[in-house]
Amino acid sequence: MFTPHFYFSLWCGCIVSQSMLVSGFLNVVLSTIQVEFQMSSAKAAMFPSNYDIAVAVTVLLVAHFGSSHKPRTLGVGVLLLSIGSFLFAIAHFIYGSENILANDKSKSTYLCISSEDVEEKGDCENEDSIGNTGAYALLTVGSLLIGLGASPVYTAGTTFCDENFSS
């Protein structure tokens, strides 16, 4: 059962899942995350950047140290990828529902006007509340773990398949 073809099928599934997560879902829900957790655009834009930074840092380490046991390295990468995905999703369940229930959607509480002549800023002054900081931390750690897990999937997975399939 655990043949190279089986590992190849699992590897392809991991590649498809990781690509959907990073190239598709993350970019689609970025504006929703920004509104739901009342984050600035600069903070929300850090999540794809965190992924890229984590991949860039770990790809050389995985290529050098991960060559001894590629299936184990690939398994650790998939585990990190799944933990990062779980953390990224759990932020909505821990912090997202509170924000939606606490804010009255009929009022424009999500819009902050940065003008000198506006005297009452309301919730805009306290943009980084405890909930937003916790959500930002979970989303940041999640995107970093997704990047750490994606590096072995591409690096060790490709060389493992190349070494175990005859042409």
Side-chain angles (χ1 to χ4, degrees):
M1 178 173 168
F2 296 110
T3 63
H5 293 286
F6 177 74
Y7 281 113
F8 181 73
S9 300
L10 285 178
W11 178 65
C12 287
C14 291
I15 294 280
V16 168
S17 299
Q18 187 273 337
S19 296
M20 283 183 356
L21 179 69
V22 174
S23 300
F25 299 148
L26 180 60
N27 294 330
V28 169
V29 300
L30 203 56
S31 61
T32 305
I33 289 171
Q34 182 181 353
V35 169
E36 184 173 346
F37 299 117
Q38 299 174 355
M39 292 181 186
S40 64
S41 297
K43 278 188 173 183
M46 283 303 296
F47 304 131
S49 300
N50 289 337
Y51 166 80
D52 292 334
I53 290 168
V55 168
V57 168
T58 59
V59 72
L60 296 174
L61 297 172
V62 169
H64 182 70
F65 295 115
S67 62
S68 60
H69 198 273
K70 289 176 187 66
R72 184 177 300 151
T73 305
L74 186 60
V76 168
V78 171
L79 181 67
L80 289 174
L81 188 65
S82 60
I83 291 171
S85 301
F86 178 74
L87 287 177
F88 208 85
I90 201 73
H92 167 72
F93 297 110
I94 294 175
Y95 299 106
S97 300
E98 244 176 52
N99 278 344
I100 292 173
L101 294 176
N103 292 323
D104 185 9
K105 288 239 178 178
S106 63
K107 299 177 184 173
S108 296
T109 56
Y110 292 123
L111 301 176
C112 295
I113 302 170
S114 60
S115 176
E116 301 295 327
D117 41 81
V118 177
E119 292 182 18
E120 289 186 27
K121 290 188 179 181
D123 293 335
C124 297
E125 289 179 9
N126 194 12
E127 186 178 330
D128 293 330
S129 66
I130 298 297
N132 292 343
T133 304
Y136 183 72
L138 272 178
L139 294 169
T140 300
V141 170
S143 63
L144 285 171
L145 286 176
I146 291 170
L148 291 174
S151 181
V153 169
Y154 285 107
T155 309
T158 305
T159 56
F160 178 75
C161 289
D162 188 44
E163 291 171 355
N164 289 303
F165 287 103
S166 59
S167 47

